[in-house]
Amino acid sequence: MIRASRAVVYTVLLGLGVTFGPPSKAAAESTMSTELARILELARERNTARSPTWLALLHYRQPRVFGQPRSEADSPSFFLAPDGATDPVAELEATLRFILDPAPPSEPGGDHPLCDFIARQRWLREELSIDAQRFPPPFCPSFERWHAAIGASGATLVFPEAYMNNPSSMFGHTLLRFDSREPEDRRDLLAYAANFAAVTEDDGAVAFAWKGIFGYYPGLFSLLPYYEKVREYGDWEQRDLWEYELDLTPAEVGRMLEHLWELRGVRFDYYFFDENCSYRLLRLLEVARPALDLSRRFHAWAIPADTVRAVARGARLVHTVRFRASATSELRYLAARLPTAARRLALDLAAGTRTANDDAVQALPASTRATVLTVAHDALKIAFVRGAEERDTSLRRGRALLLERSSLPAVTSPDRPPAPRIRPDEGHGTARATIATGVRARRPYLELGARPAFHDLLDPEGGYTAGAQIDFLRPRVRVYPDHGEVRLQRLAILDIVSLAPRDDVFRPISWRFDTNVATVLTRGNDDSGLRGLRDRTVWRTHGGGGLAWKGPVGGIVYAMAEATFDTGKGLDSAHALGLGGEGGIFLRPWQDRVALHFATSGRQFVSGEDRTDVRVGLAPRISLTARFALRAEAAY
């Protein structure tokens, strides 16, 4: 009786057109269309397409004055709308349609297509309150496995210091490490680090510089184990690392990771001076916390030291800073603890001119002998990294040193090198404006100058690589009021100096290179105010190499052999080639509050012109505050 009654009810309901199965396709499309219209209207009311988070997720860059934002991402696959790269509204609407009417997975058990855009679709679901029951989020097993393997809830901005032997790293570099917050679980070297870098080819130095400056290289994000980057920077390139732990919430770190997943294989144009590694990481931090708006401060150039300063000092986003010394710094520090005779024994062991069984080595106290063997092994390893030792030889010699070291009793490990007194974010700003007055040949003048970047040898060294100078696009304009003369005294296109002091352990070569438009003295009329000499504007390229040593009161003594090539219409033969040298000393008393540079140089022009240039000069600098300094210069 009951079964018959149920059959009658079903028959009646079917006759009325009521079904108990899934809704028809037409009904589903109607529901989706209604919900889409509601959500699009809500997005328009909230102006979601102009939200800082949406603009950050799509890497839109706002125009300076007027016009549409334009995305800096250059891969079409990064956008769902045909004009999504230039229209945030169109991209938002295309994304919402995709969320509400998702395509099926590409293959059974695979990731849903929405998983490629996981950060933006998750944010939109929350921002616009999309019903998860009616429009459930996609299942993304590949992302979930990747995210779980990283296991991060914190982030650290890492700043490897400048590396003068690599043009792309002369200003330093930045990368982002993802950390676990729990101290007992922290394994910094096993964490993962996000890095943005140019995809370069086997180009020479000139082609590399040209392509890097004018954006001919593509740039890509990558995620690598942090220990690989420590080995690359700290061991292979001998660069100290600064680690700035960021004050980000786990949710903000999670959004960054979701966005990094979206950026797999997404291409950006790489520009050496502005859209570089540091600029891209600022954009990544804006995804985590859009209110930071860090990237708008860097339109013309983004020097890594300045971006670190913007994060640490401007945004106040840092709560802990750690210093990680390079292999070179650790070896120097350990070797300096040894007496001179013991240090020479260690270097002889590394070079293979002595063995661990040598009487002089065996006569040392056990603790000293242990340090000598450690220094010898570390020096051998660095020599191998630099290509000064063959692999088989270094392995055999290194194994013998380690075997001998293991036979000694354990001793207290020496302290690691202390962190420098001034961190990179505490150093002077890289941009500088100058106003000067002086007298040349009894003619008074006023000189105005500017420097976009970066650091010169007379600047305070704190926060910068000691002995390194990089000046870029630095003009100096001189006005002589008595004659109403205005002259471009110098325009430094690029001026690089690397004074690397030599010691018992390391014997680097110092070098310099500069190319600039300059006013120089040549033989001729007296328009310079100096008898028999005239001012002429030339294009000067100048470079050389030599040696440097540590001097007194934190200074450097140096000597270089150099060559100079001038070209310009004011020269007798339109060119001049000179050979010569320069020597000098830098002194930095009172913790670098004062600096003195004494230098003398001479060059004999051997082609194009026949003249000899000699110069002797003294230049002091007194720092008044972190941002202001007084300089003087006297030269003959």
Side-chain angles (χ1 to χ4, degrees):
M1 181 65 183
I2 295 176
R3 291 180 183 175
S5 299
R6 183 177 296 171
V8 171
V9 172
Y10 283 175
T11 303
V12 171
L13 290 176
L14 285 172
L16 295 175
V18 179
T19 63
F20 289 91
S24 67
K25 182 179 179 181
E29 289 178 351
S30 175
T31 301
M32 187 274 288
S33 179
T34 302
E35 184 66 9
L36 177 62
R38 185 191 70 81
I39 291 176
L40 288 177
E41 182 61 29
L42 180 61
R44 294 187 190 102
E45 289 176 3
R46 295 183 178 180
N47 202 17
T48 306
R50 300 289 177 173
S51 162
T53 303
W54 182 251
L55 297 176
L57 284 168
L58 274 298
H59 291 260
Y60 290 115
R61 190 167 190 170
Q62 295 279 21
R64 292 190 180 184
V65 183
F66 55 86
Q68 281 284 97
R70 182 178 184 86
S71 177
E72 294 165 338
D74 297 305
S75 295
S77 60
F78 189 62
F79 306 97
L80 291 169
D83 54 349
T86 56
D87 191 341
V89 175
E91 183 63 22
L92 176 70
E93 293 182 355
T95 306
L96 289 173
R97 288 189 175 91
F98 199 23
I99 291 174
L100 299 184
D101 187 20
S106 55
E107 59 183 44
D111 286 343
H112 195 285
L114 267 176
C115 297
D116 290 337
F117 310 99
I118 196 160
R120 69 185 79 165
Q121 64 102 356
R122 284 185 174 181
W123 177 76
L124 285 173
R125 287 176 182 275
E126 181 180 350
E127 178 72 9
L128 299 174
S129 303
I130 296 176
D131 190 344
Q133 296 295 325
R134 299 169 66 186
F135 303 97
F139 177 55
C140 304
S142 297
F143 167 77
E144 296 300 340
R145 287 192 297 269
W146 178 85
H147 188 273
I150 297 170
S153 56
T156 296
L157 182 66
V158 181
F159 176 70
E161 292 186 346
Y163 179 53
M164 299 301 292
N165 290 330
N166 184 345
S168 67
S169 299
M170 288 188 302
F171 294 98
H173 182 58
T174 54
L175 58 150
L176 196 64
R177 191 185 72 209
F178 291 95
D179 304 316
S180 168
R181 282 288 188 198
E182 294 73 19
E184 63 273 14
D185 293 336
R186 286 287 292 273
R187 300 289 187 272
D188 291 346
L189 289 176
L190 299 180
Y192 283 86
N195 186 59
F196 180 81
V199 182
T200 61
E201 303 166 5
D202 295 329
D203 293 326
V206 175
F208 176 86
W210 176 266
K211 290 183 177 181
I213 291 172
F214 293 102
Y216 285 95
Y217 287 125
L220 296 173
F221 278 96
S222 60
L223 198 67
L224 299 169
Y226 184 54
Y227 68 81
E228 291 188 11
K229 305 308 290 183
V230 170
R231 182 174 59 185
E232 176 185 348
Y233 298 128
D235 295 345
W236 290 83
E237 296 183 356
Q238 289 92 50
R239 300 161 69 179
D240 295 332
L241 278 69
W242 290 87
E243 301 171 343
Y244 294 82
E245 190 171 349
L246 302 178
D247 190 15
L248 295 174
T249 67
E252 290 170 333
V253 173
R255 187 181 300 136
M256 276 198 298
L257 283 172
E258 291 169 0
H259 187 55
L260 276 172
W261 175 266
E262 293 181 332
L263 293 176
R264 294 166 301 147
V266 174
R267 178 188 182 278
F268 295 83
D269 287 339
Y270 182 95
Y271 290 90
F272 186 70
F273 291 110
D274 52 359
E275 295 182 30
N276 53 25
C277 61
S278 297
Y279 175 82
R280 285 282 153 243
L281 289 189
L282 294 183
R283 300 288 280 173
L284 195 58
L285 290 174
E286 289 171 346
V287 168
R289 190 178 295 176
L292 292 173
D293 198 23
L294 293 166
S295 61
R296 288 179 66 86
R297 309 181 191 185
F298 301 96
H299 278 289
W301 54 86
I303 304 298
D306 285 339
T307 62
V308 171
R309 194 173 293 113
V311 172
R313 318 291 285 186
R316 300 186 181 277
L317 198 59
V318 173
H319 63 77
T320 304
V321 182
R322 296 182 180 88
F323 174 71
R324 188 184 294 271
S326 66
T328 298
S329 295
E330 290 189 345
L331 176 57
R332 273 203 174 101
Y333 181 74
L334 189 59
R337 298 168 65 94
L338 289 171
T340 301
R343 187 163 59 247
R344 288 174 179 165
L345 279 177
L347 297 177
D348 288 344
L349 288 170
T353 56
R354 289 179 185 265
T355 67
N357 295 323
D358 192 285
D359 292 342
V361 177
Q362 294 296 320
L364 295 171
S367 60
T368 303
R369 199 183 339 153
T371 304
V372 164
L373 291 168
T374 302
V375 168
H377 179 267
D378 291 351
L380 176 61
K381 182 175 69 173
I382 290 177
F384 167 72
V385 166
R386 292 181 171 181
E389 291 284 351
E390 296 291 335
R391 177 180 176 83
D392 291 344
T393 302
S394 62
L395 286 175
R396 183 176 63 254
R397 197 180 302 155
R399 183 174 181 274
L401 292 171
L402 289 177
L403 284 173
E404 181 65 22
R405 174 65 184 86
S406 67
S407 68
L408 296 171
V411 295
T412 302
S413 299
D415 296 332
R416 291 185 176 275
R421 185 173 56 90
I422 298 176
R423 306 192 308 248
D425 61 291
E426 297 172 330
H428 67 79
T430 58
R432 187 177 75 193
T434 61
I435 181 169
T437 184
V439 177
R440 179 188 185 222
R442 300 182 181 179
R443 296 177 60 194
Y445 64 82
L446 179 71
E447 186 174 286
L448 303 176
R451 182 187 70 191
F454 161 68
H455 173 78
D456 68 46
L457 289 170
L458 209 55
D459 283 333
E461 279 189 343
Y464 292 82
T465 302
Q469 168 178 302
I470 303 178
D471 266 358
F472 177 71
L473 290 180
R474 177 184 176 185
R476 289 165 49 199
V477 178
R478 186 172 289 187
V479 180
Y480 291 94
D482 57 346
H483 287 70
E485 179 186 1
V486 179
R487 177 177 288 277
L488 178 63
Q489 188 68 17
R490 188 170 187 258
L491 173 59
I493 307 299
L494 185 63
D495 187 349
I496 307 174
V497 182
S498 176
L499 299 181
R502 299 164 70 87
D503 53 33
D504 291 345
V505 181
F506 298 102
R507 295 178 174 81
I509 299 296
S510 296
W511 58 275
R512 74 170 304 156
F513 172 82
D514 64 85
T515 182
N516 58 83
V517 178
T519 295
V520 302
L521 287 169
T522 65
R523 287 199 179 102
N525 57 40
D526 298 341
D527 67 356
S528 67
L530 299 169
R531 187 170 55 188
L533 298 175
R534 62 181 181 174
D535 283 325
R536 287 294 178 264
T537 300
V538 303
W539 186 293
R540 167 165 287 184
T541 300
H542 169 231
L547 307 177
W549 301 266
K550 287 186 177 180
V553 290
I556 295 177
V557 180
Y558 68 94
M560 289 194 185
E562 300 172 336
T564 302
F565 182 76
D566 295 341
T567 181
K569 293 182 179 179
L571 300 174
D572 293 340
S573 301
H575 79 278
L577 174 63
L579 303 176
E582 178 183 353
I585 182 172
F586 284 91
L587 301 175
R588 298 182 180 275
W590 300 296
Q591 291 189 324
D592 204 15
R593 291 186 178 90
V594 174
L596 296 169
H597 180 206
F598 175 79
T600 180
S601 63
R603 61 176 65 90
Q604 174 66 49
F605 283 86
V606 297
S607 176
E609 293 203 350
D610 181 15
R611 72 174 193 270
T612 302
D613 289 355
V614 177
R615 186 182 189 279
V616 179
L618 175 66
R621 182 265 302 161
I622 302 174
S623 293
L624 302 180
T625 70
R627 299 184 61 183
F628 294 94
L630 292 176
R631 292 192 181 199
E633 183 176 4
Y636 171 79

